Amino acid sequence: GTRIAFMSDREGPQQVFWKRADGSGVEERLTQNSATQAGNVYDIPYSFSPDGRVLTTSRVGPTTGADVWAVPVERTPSAAAGRTQPQRVLHSTAADGAPQLSPDGLWLAYASDESGRREIYVQAFPDPGGKWQVSPDGGNEPLWNPNGRELFYRNGDRMMSVEVNTANGFASGKPRVLFTGRYHKSSNWWARPNYDVSADGQRFLMLKNVGEDSAPPTDVAVVLHWAAELRRLVATAR
């Protein structure tokens, strides 16, 4: 809660930086990438581990699609040693994005198109383990309920909810629709969530385009001699 991570191209290719939330201090770069002959590489921040020591990122490039990385943000005891190196968590020919760590830090939810359609998956973290597909018919923009027993994601205009149980491994229930609405969705295929969930898991903060639900006008009203009418109204008011 004391720092904010963000992406910026202030030093060339899109990198991940962070800065104190109160505005003090200077920005510090957390990732290292460089442009390639085929195009730029983008590092995108997503979620911090509960202890604040790791930040999940997605690296988007022209040859690898999108891979998921775990970036240590806590320095080692020796300041000269700096931080340990980032570790690649997911690497495939698919576009893997939106890596969201569970509230206990032991599970990673993400979106991937490895099946040919974007779906929501969960796998163990940080050590590799089993992988489970949570969404049966498409999904994007996953976020955990802060209580750790529910996972949210979006499927078109529907906000979906899945109950999860991590007491003995991982198990998930049948997805259900929480609500529908024409809220702003992620326009990028790496699935940056465009909403957030309150600390109690009961409220959603959504983005909505102005006038999106308003029907287009069907009539045009033309007012004649409006200046004379305005003078009459002003005189009456006096």
Side-chain angles (χ1 to χ4, degrees):
T2 61
R3 290 180 179 268
I4 294 175
F6 61 95
M7 62 186 291
S8 172
D9 62 357
R10 64 188 60 196
E11 296 182 9
Q14 292 278 4
Q15 311 266 11
V16 175
F17 298 76
W18 74 346
K19 186 176 181 177
R20 292 188 180 278
D22 62 6
S24 64
V26 297
E27 298 87 353
E28 184 180 1
R29 190 170 70 182
L30 299 177
T31 61
Q32 301 282 341
N33 70 55
S34 59
T36 66
Q37 290 182 350
N40 286 337
V41 177
Y42 301 86
D43 284 331
I44 308 166
Y46 283 92
S47 69
F48 286 99
S49 59
D51 58 11
R53 296 181 177 181
V54 174
L55 173 68
T56 63
T57 68
S58 183
R59 175 165 291 181
V60 181
T63 57
T64 61
D67 294 335
V68 173
W69 291 73
V71 179
V73 296
E74 186 179 69
R75 291 188 178 276
T76 58
S78 171
R83 297 186 177 88
T84 55
Q85 293 298 309
Q87 300 295 319
R88 186 157 52 187
V89 179
L90 288 171
H91 174 59
S92 68
T93 57
D96 304 317
Q100 302 290 336
L101 287 171
S102 61
D104 62 7
L106 299 178
W107 305 95
L108 181 73
Y110 64 97
S112 176
D113 63 359
E114 64 178 70
S115 68
R117 176 176 62 186
R118 296 202 69 79
E119 300 283 5
I120 306 300
Y121 298 86
V122 172
Q123 74 170 41
F125 183 88
D127 299 324
K131 180 178 70 174
W132 295 264
Q133 181 176 330
V134 173
S135 61
D137 59 354
N140 210 0
E141 303 180 55
L143 276 183
W144 291 88
N145 187 319
N147 66 21
R149 300 188 299 273
E150 189 176 21
L151 185 63
F152 305 114
Y153 67 91
R154 302 180 71 182
N155 186 350
D157 289 338
R158 300 179 294 173
M159 178 67 73
M160 308 297 295
S161 165
V162 181
E163 292 186 1
V164 300
N165 188 331
T166 59
N168 296 295
F170 181 86
S172 61
K174 182 178 180 180
R176 62 188 179 93
V177 179
L178 285 182
F179 59 87
T180 60
R182 297 183 62 188
Y183 299 102
H184 192 68
K185 295 185 286 291
S186 176
S187 60
N188 300 315
W189 58 270
W190 53 78
R192 179 77 188 176
N194 267 328
Y195 68 99
D196 207 353
V197 185
S198 62
D200 60 6
Q202 299 301 306
R203 293 172 296 170
F204 290 81
L205 183 66
M206 311 293 294
L207 292 175
K208 196 168 191 177
N209 293 333
V210 175
E212 186 165 308
D213 288 339
S214 301
T218 57
D219 299 307
V220 176
V222 179
V223 179
L224 302 177
H225 309 298
W226 65 271
E229 178 68 6
L230 177 61
R231 288 193 293 270
R232 186 186 67 80
L233 293 174
V234 170
T236 302
R238 290 177 180 174

